[in-house]
Amino acid sequence: MKYIAFFPLIFLFCLSANAQPFYSENFSNGFPSGWQTEDQSGKGVIWEYCPDNCLFGNLKFNSTSASDGYLISIPALLLNDPFITTLTSAPIDCSAQSEVFLSFEAFILTGEISASKGAKLLIKNESMDWVPFNLFPEQQRDSALQFSYNSDWVRLDISAQAAGFESVQLRWEWTGTKEEFWAIDDVQLFGSNPKFENAVWGTQPGEGDFKDSLSGWVINTLEGGNRRNAKWTWEPFGSLQKSLVDSFLEPFSHHPYLNSYSNENGAMVFNADFFTTDGLFAVPPADYPFYHVELISPPIDLSHVTKEVNVRFDQLVMKGGRQPIDFPSVTSFSYSIDRARTWSAPIAINETLPVDSLLMDTQEISLVGAAGESHVRVKFIFAGELYFWAIDDVMIVEKDDNDLRVLPNFYAIAPNAMTPASQVERIGFLADVENFGANPQTDVVLSVQVEDMTTQQLVFEDTLQYGTMPTGAIFENRFFKSTFLPSGKSARYQVKHLLTSDSL
């Protein structure tokens, strides 16, 4: 029987530009000119250019631009003696910079010497010899296969070694024995910390980075599942050791942790399944305990802020079990602008995340009315059964002037993933959109396109005129006028949405 198959939608956002690097190398043109690799131990281990995918099995490096190439070192698997291999950049001019921040993506698999010990970055300039940095402090397991995240974002403040110098070099140095691979991609240098872009609160140690402690944040346990100690806890690296997913990952990977910008000084974690199972990796009881716990910020003074703001934070989350109907999601958010006398209705976070799925990302939520207020507080609410939620680097940031978004939690899809060719019918499209920026948007247009994935030909297109969208406006449930009728032949289709405005 012939089937018509539809694949998940891709959303293309028209967003304002983020902080731009003054230097970047994504290895799209091969091994860069002026860069050098050296086998310091005579074992034949060097760094090489990989045009697309050089990993084994079904593994692929998930860096932002891996499809156009990256650099990788793959030691011989039977090495018994230590190797030392280095990759050194060409000199980089940082003389015009008062600050320098390095960012790159990595994927590493070690087998004998942990990445925290064996994988380093060194930096030198014309006045200073090589200074080492630890790239993977979370990964400390020796004599065992241990993956990093794929990809692992490495972000370092190298101002002391690079700012104001005209000949700065980066060197990746790897010492090991029975190691598997180390890949890097998308090396960037910034003249200011891109993590702090537009931030008006949260950039100072002890505000929203949970530096070594709660830092004035308040823990409130409303329901603890008969566990008096069920509460948010401070954990180094935002570690989720002794969680159920930790047992799933053993013995071939790391324990889960939050790969946030400042995870080395700690993050806040609510580990629900640890409180349920006592960390014994046992199957939880059928009647899971319910937890309702809050993490509340100290007072935040935004009286000096005139532009509308968002809260931005890094998270690692996994949902499971039931949740009460009183809450929009297992994980939600609320805020107050009147000294915590009243709070906004809970705002759903991770509402569309499938049960038993792990997600790590950066979230932004609008704080309507918070700008100009002197006593703002925010709180993160876990209200459910499983599994956990880790949070770090909470910041209050000014909104971008122009920021249109297609909302990921509501859009029309094909009635079936696969439909018999003899039963095809017309398909209508819609998608909810939001003006998340500080400025009103004029001449807003939402487009929908359907592409035949085999022929890569556009088979359907339509547009929807929205006109002007005020700041904070959400337009919902507006269908495109035209509908799409598949041809009846076996095919796979992909749907794309594009949101534009002449204000961008």
Side-chain angles (χ1 to χ4, degrees), residues 106-131:
F107 187 25
I108 190 169
L109 173 57
T110 56
E112 187 67 26
I113 299 177
S114 69
S116 65
K117 295 179 182 178
K120 306 290 183 182
L121 179 82
L122 300 97
I123 301 176
K124 74 179 293 289
N125 58 50
E126 61 265 27
S127 302
M128 183 186 305
D129 206 355
W130 296 104
V131 176

Side-chain angles (χ1 to χ4, degrees), residues 21-38:
F22 68 86
Y23 171 86
S24 63
E25 177 58 72
N26 64 6
F27 310 111
S28 59
N29 295 317
F31 199 96
S33 174
W35 286 50
Q36 297 179 338
T37 180
E38 183 179 0

